[in-house]
Amino acid sequence: MKGKSFLALFVGVSSLVCAFPSAAQFAKPEAAVEYRQSALYLMGNHFGRIKAQLDVSKPDLDVIRSSAALIDVLKTLPFEAFLPGTEDIGDTAAKPEVWTDNERFKKLAHEMQDKVSALNAAAKSGDVGAIRTAFGETGKACKNCHEDFRKKR
Amino acid sequence: MKGKSFLALFVGVSSLVCAFPSAAQFAKPEAAVEYRQSALYLMGNHFGRIKAQLDVSKPDLDVIRSSAALIDVLKTLPFEAFLPGTEDIGDTAAKPEVWTDNERFKKLAHEMQDKVSALNAAAKSGDVGAIRTAFGETGKACKNCHEDFRKKR
């Protein structure tokens, strides 16, 4: 039974070429939504872990470094999945503007990604002041995009 | 309004020390469930991408390499989040055995992680035969754990 569902996953992925031609990496629109939400969730969780360290008198630099490195790895993933045909799917919080003003959406995504790179570099340096500055700028970049492109929950 | 929710996220993360003492990285049990599901979802998606390449006559080694590297980064994340107090939360598919037979659960997790390391090494080598073997072994390791510790959906 489990072997069957294991196989079914593969068949689902492999057969997407017919079902969803613009996105070979997703079997169906719901998968794209879950993918982007998963990546953004992990990013948010680890951003919160950095914040928690910056809130205490002796930040654990190992926690900050590992979280910043992970966010840096994840930072482009969500944007593979805001595909045409994935608007209004499931519980997406994406506003229609993601697709109707896609150039600006991409611009803000790139700005966030640049700030995340800087945060990761600051984390590697171990300079708490620099980490704090880069953290604040990353938070602003997240917020800029959420304000225009994410529905209020 | 958005600034408020942004701040609320941080307060939520920071205040977890009281609410959920065993897990400073999660504000509440639901967050741990969403965290592990998110990491596992990304792992499964990228495992499927490797499979899709192994199913075609000319596998794209760049796709395989990037997916294997990402899975290697993610492979320990889910297991931070199978915490006491997160059984039967939300739509978790985790069986009670995750907690009642935790030693075996951890053993199978470590076996999967070893196989993922080998898959990443094979991907870096670019040897499709070695990738195929390591992929099969990783799939078996996933399945071994899912059979005993994941509810049928």
Side-chain angles (χ1 to χ4, degrees):
Chain A
M1 287 294 284
K2 182 56 71 178
K4 198 174 159 189
S5 66
F6 191 64
L7 182 65
L9 172 69
F10 292 161
V11 173
V13 170
S14 305
S15 68
L16 58 80
V17 178
C18 303
F20 197 39
S22 64
Q25 63 274 51
F26 304 112
K28 50 185 183 173
E30 288 78 3
V33 174
E34 192 160 354
Y35 184 90
R36 68 199 190 208
Q37 288 180 339
S38 294
L40 289 163
Y41 191 82
L42 295 180
M43 291 169 71
N45 177 279
H46 282 270
F47 198 65
R49 295 189 196 196
I50 296 172
K51 168 69 178 167
Q53 292 305 320
L54 294 176
D55 278 349
V56 298
S57 57
K58 284 196 157 191
D60 184 332
L61 287 172
D62 286 342
V63 170
I64 293 175
R65 277 193 199 102
S66 66
S67 285
L70 181 66
I71 297 168
D72 202 38
V73 167
L74 297 172
K75 69 185 178 188
T76 60
L77 269 57
F79 305 98
E80 293 178 26
F82 287 99
L83 293 161
T86 67
E87 311 92 329
D88 293 322
I89 297 291
D91 66 345
T92 185
K95 287 187 184 176
E97 285 77 2
V98 168
W99 291 271
T100 58
D101 193 3
N102 195 252
E103 282 308 305
R104 184 169 147 73
F105 179 67
K106 282 182 185 162
K107 179 173 171 285
L108 294 184
H110 288 139
E111 284 177 10
M112 176 276 286
Q113 289 157 0
D114 288 345
K115 298 300 183 187
V116 165
S117 298
L119 176 60
N120 191 24
K124 282 181 183 164
S125 80
D127 176 338
V128 174
I131 294 168
R132 203 177 292 281
T133 301
F135 177 85
E137 291 183 358
T138 306
K140 276 183 210 158
C142 297
K143 192 181 156 204
N144 283 345
C145 193
H146 291 167
E147 279 189 339
D148 289 353
F149 293 102
R150 189 174 70 170
K151 289 175 195 160
K152 307 274 182 284
R153 292 281 198 183
Chain B
M1 285 296 283
K2 182 57 68 180
K4 199 174 160 190
S5 66
F6 191 63
L7 183 64
L9 172 70
F10 292 160
V11 172
V13 171
S14 306
S15 67
L16 58 82
V17 178
C18 303
F20 197 39
S22 65
Q25 64 274 49
F26 304 112
K28 51 184 183 175
E30 288 78 4
V33 174
E34 191 160 354
Y35 184 90
R36 67 201 190 207
Q37 289 180 339
S38 294
L40 289 164
Y41 191 83
L42 295 180
M43 291 169 71
N45 177 280
H46 282 271
F47 197 65
R49 294 188 197 195
I50 296 172
K51 168 70 178 166
Q53 292 306 319
L54 293 176
D55 278 348
V56 298
S57 57
K58 284 197 154 189
D60 184 332
L61 287 172
D62 286 342
V63 170
I64 293 175
R65 277 195 199 101
S66 66
S67 285
L70 182 65
I71 296 169
D72 201 39
V73 166
L74 298 172
K75 69 185 177 188
T76 61
L77 268 56
F79 306 97
E80 295 178 26
F82 287 98
L83 294 161
T86 66
E87 310 92 330
D88 292 322
I89 297 290
D91 66 345
T92 184
K95 286 187 183 176
E97 285 78 2
V98 169
W99 292 271
T100 59
D101 193 3
N102 195 250
E103 283 308 305
R104 183 169 150 73
F105 178 67
K106 282 182 185 161
K107 180 174 170 285
L108 294 184
H110 288 139
E111 285 177 10
M112 176 276 287
Q113 289 157 2
D114 289 345
K115 297 301 184 187
V116 165
S117 297
L119 176 59
N120 192 23
K124 282 180 183 164
S125 80
D127 176 338
V128 174
I131 294 167
R132 202 176 293 280
T133 300
F135 177 85
E137 292 184 357
T138 305
K140 277 182 208 155
C142 297
K143 191 181 159 205
N144 284 344
C145 194
H146 291 168
E147 278 188 341
D148 289 353
F149 294 103
R150 188 175 70 170
K151 289 175 195 158
K152 307 273 183 288
R153 293 283 199 181

